[in-house]
Amino acid sequence: MGSPEGAPSGRVRLRSCSANSVLKMPKENLYCLILAGGRGTRLWPLSRRSLPKQFLTINGDESLLLATLKRAARLVAEENIFVVLEEEQRSLIEENLRSTDSLGKIKIVTEPVGRNTAPAILLGTREIASEDEDAVIMVFPSDHVVGDDENFRDHVRRAVSLAEDDYIVCFGITPSVPETGYGYIEGGEPLRDGGLRIKRFVEKPSAEVASEYLLSGNFFWNSGMFVFRARTMVDEYAAFCPDLYEPIHETSRGKISRDIYGGLPSVPVDRAVMEKTSRGAVIPSSFPWSDIGSWRLFYEFFPKDSEGNVLEGDVILKGTQDSIVKSGSRLVCVSGLRNVAVIETRDAVFISDLDRSNEAGEFAKELRERGRDEADRPKVVHYPWGSREEIEKGKLSKVTKTTVFSGKTARTENTSSHDLRLLVLEGEALIIGDKGGDKLGLGQTVFLEDGANYAVENKTDDILIILEVFSVRG
């Protein structure tokens, strides 16, 4: 696990090699559709509604979304990558892409409001099909961790081959433990390229049933990753869920209203299409994978120390085993515990038995019902370029501390109703506006009163820290 402050300096290229050399087949009609609209709180307090886990740095020095985009860019041209997310999340993905050379290349498809995976996949599929009616689409959630790229790409090759025969292919992860946190797929008759017809989908089982599935060798974790021909999938939507297909099909590209889209059934694609179609196939898959959908799954996926602990941050343990302890802002000391999750952030701490850690989201729900800000918005928001921390907020003013990594650029959060004063606490800033740029050194300030957004660039080798003081214009 990497620290949010461990991001590399400089701009990042998503592409590492040509798609043709990776998949060894003509790829003009191969596309990636990334699902990035989730607002899950199962990893609360780390993940919040305003900053869900796909935008967090969890595995390495980049967000889960950027890692997914890099994986996609090793399969297809960047221009063939589409990302579906809620309109309100557009700024989050733009912040992520500013650290790359891909802003403007990757296509963003926005949902007026989140309505689960079935509407999102159909919306994205229609956008791609309008450009290429022969498209073969790979659907990847943006918040999963996938390891062993070579193994993964081999499974992708076989899934694409089956999809070209008009199967709707799901990657089924070969289970290693009797996991109760995932849905399962039962495989049926063999197909070519190691695939199996899908016999049925099963909801998250009990521990006893999951053990039976593990021993059978014919049940697989449902990864939520799919490959299909666009026209095949659209035909299945039309046949099995016309209440989704017809409203989206009858509106112009990019023109669906919030009222119409918000009235669509909020259903997963498994229930809307995959449980009904006769075209379902599963590719048994052995590459490392996790959706990190709970603190228990987080614990199980990551490397452990000699006492079986997953640790991050400023942590000291005594007599503690088989636990996850994560500190985000201060020293955390734990003594004499086993099988616990201790998750510390600037404004909230979650402590739980690991086996009950899936209840984190229930605390977020209760806090939201009480009108508590901790439910949805963290005090510190991490970005690829650095971080922004809310220090104080009143009725007429707000103070934030912004950290900008070496070689990175942030943008102010100014509005037309606020004046803004910047103060450099550490390092040197280049403030860039419409009329050029000004340098600010340690202790220097600048007053910005026209409500415009400014870029704050750190061109030095050291970290930059500034205070942003917002005040309502009188």
Side-chain angles (χ1 to χ4, degrees):
M1 295 182 294
S3 166
E5 297 186 353
S9 62
R11 297 180 71 79
V12 179
R13 280 189 60 80
L14 295 185
R15 294 291 298 277
S16 63
C17 54
S18 71
N20 286 352
S21 67
V22 173
L23 290 177
K24 301 178 181 177
M25 57 186 295
K27 286 282 95 39
E28 290 80 5
N29 72 326
L30 186 61
Y31 295 79
C32 282
L33 180 60
I34 310 300
L35 305 179
R39 288 185 176 270
T41 55
R42 290 181 293 174
L43 291 186
W44 186 87
L46 187 64
S47 173
R48 316 277 178 108
R49 285 179 62 86
S50 65
L51 193 70
K53 68 176 171 147
Q54 61 266 32
F55 300 104
L56 299 176
T57 301
I58 288 179
N59 184 34
D61 295 325
E62 60 196 5
S63 68
L64 292 175
L65 172 62
L66 273 185
T68 303
L69 291 173
K70 282 187 176 182
R71 197 158 51 246
R74 290 191 285 269
L75 302 173
V76 303
E78 286 178 274
E79 293 76 12
N80 285 13
I81 299 175
F82 288 66
V83 181
V84 180
L85 75 171
E86 292 183 47
E87 177 61 41
E88 292 181 355
Q89 296 174 315
R90 178 183 283 272
S91 61
L92 289 173
I93 190 171
E94 290 176 348
E95 289 285 2
N96 272 253
L97 290 177
R98 281 195 185 102
S99 65
T100 75
D101 61 356
S102 300
L103 187 62
K105 298 178 183 178
I106 291 172
K107 298 177 177 67
I108 300 174
V109 180
T110 57
E111 301 177 277
V113 61
R115 299 303 290 165
N116 218 312
T117 57
I121 289 174
L122 180 57
L123 189 67
T125 297
R126 190 187 68 159
E127 289 291 318
I128 294 171
S130 66
E131 295 189 7
D132 185 350
E133 61 182 10
D134 294 321
V136 174
I137 301 174
M138 300 176 289
V139 176
F140 300 134
S142 61
D143 58 353
H144 293 187
V145 176
V146 176
D148 192 349
D149 260 6
E150 184 176 348
N151 188 1
F152 172 68
R153 291 194 297 269
D154 176 65
H155 287 79
V156 168
R157 278 190 288 268
R158 292 190 279 130
V160 168
S161 178
L162 278 176
E164 290 178 329
D165 288 342
D166 289 325
Y167 287 102
I168 302 174
V169 186
C170 181
F171 295 88
I173 308 301
T174 302
S176 55
V177 294
E179 178 57 57
T180 60
Y182 296 135
Y184 283 70
I185 299 171
E186 183 179 6
E189 68 176 271
L191 303 171
R192 66 183 182 85
D193 291 306
L196 303 170
R197 283 193 182 274
I198 291 177
K199 189 172 182 179
R200 61 173 173 141
F201 284 79
V202 183
E203 293 296 321
K204 298 174 183 178
S206 66
E208 181 181 357
V209 172
S211 296
E212 294 174 0
Y213 290 169
L214 179 65
L215 293 174
S216 77
N218 201 41
F219 283 82
F220 308 93
W221 293 337
N222 181 3
S223 71
M225 298 186 289
F226 303 93
V227 184
F228 49 78
R229 280 193 185 276
R231 61 173 176 262
T232 301
M233 191 59 147
V234 169
D235 287 346
E236 300 302 270
Y237 270 96
F240 297 118
C241 47
D243 49 348
L244 281 178
Y245 169 80
E246 290 174 3
I248 292 178
H249 178 71
E250 291 172 1
T251 56
S252 302
R253 285 181 63 195
K255 300 294 185 180
I256 192 165
S257 72
R258 184 181 184 89
D259 287 343
I260 292 176
Y261 198 82
L264 297 178
S266 180
V267 293
V269 71
D270 299 342
R271 191 182 311 156
V273 175
M274 297 304 297
E275 293 178 358
K276 302 171 183 177
T277 182
S278 61
R279 298 180 182 275
V282 59
I283 290 284
S285 304
S286 57
F287 50 82
W289 169 89
S290 176
D291 74 350
I292 318 181
S294 68
W295 287 114
R296 158 65 73 183
L297 293 173
F298 189 109
Y299 168 80
E300 290 175 352
F301 188 81
F302 287 102
K304 299 161 185 64
D305 66 12
S306 60
E307 297 295 319
N309 296 310
V310 175
L311 308 176
E312 182 178 349
D314 193 4
V315 172
I316 299 176
L317 304 187
K318 289 186 179 297
T320 297
Q321 296 86 32
D322 305 326
S323 298
I324 174 172
V325 182
K326 180 176 171 58
S327 166
S329 68
R330 71 198 79 186
L331 171 64
V332 173
C333 299
V334 180
S335 177
L337 298 181
R338 180 186 294 273
N339 199 55
V340 297
V342 180
I343 313 300
E344 184 273 337
T345 67
R346 182 82 64 180
D347 61 341
V349 179
F350 174 67
I351 303 173
S352 170
D353 186 291
L354 260 179
D355 294 332
R356 295 187 59 178
S357 60
N358 61 340
E359 296 175 1
E362 296 178 19
F363 284 95
K365 180 180 179 182
E366 182 172 339
L367 289 169
R368 191 172 305 114
E369 292 171 349
R370 295 185 183 188
R372 298 282 297 263
D373 289 342
E374 295 94 335
D376 294 332
R377 184 171 179 83
K379 290 289 187 183
V380 183
V381 180
H382 294 281
Y383 301 101
W385 50 260
S387 64
R388 182 168 275 128
E389 176 184 357
E390 183 180 291
I391 302 297
E392 193 67 48
K393 185 177 181 180
K395 292 182 179 180
L396 301 177
S397 63
K398 182 176 74 169
V399 180
T400 64
K401 183 174 76 172
T402 298
T403 300
V404 185
F405 299 142
S406 172
K408 300 291 187 178
T409 300
R411 291 192 173 273
T412 64
E413 294 185 315
N414 209 5
T415 70
S416 58
S417 61
H418 287 78
D419 293 327
L420 170 63
R421 182 176 294 277
L422 303 181
L423 167 65
V424 177
L425 297 180
E426 186 175 335
E428 181 180 275
L430 178 62
I431 311 300
I432 305 172
D434 294 337
K435 299 179 181 180
D438 294 304
K439 285 186 178 180
L440 288 182
L442 181 65
Q444 292 185 311
T445 68
V446 64
F447 185 62
L448 309 173
E449 59 180 346
D450 60 1
N453 283 311
Y454 287 77
V456 180
E457 185 174 355
N458 181 6
K459 301 188 75 171
T460 73
D461 293 331
D462 300 314
I463 201 167
L464 167 65
I465 302 177
I466 62 173
L467 275 188
E468 297 176 289
V469 182
F470 301 87
S471 56
V472 175
R473 185 168 301 147

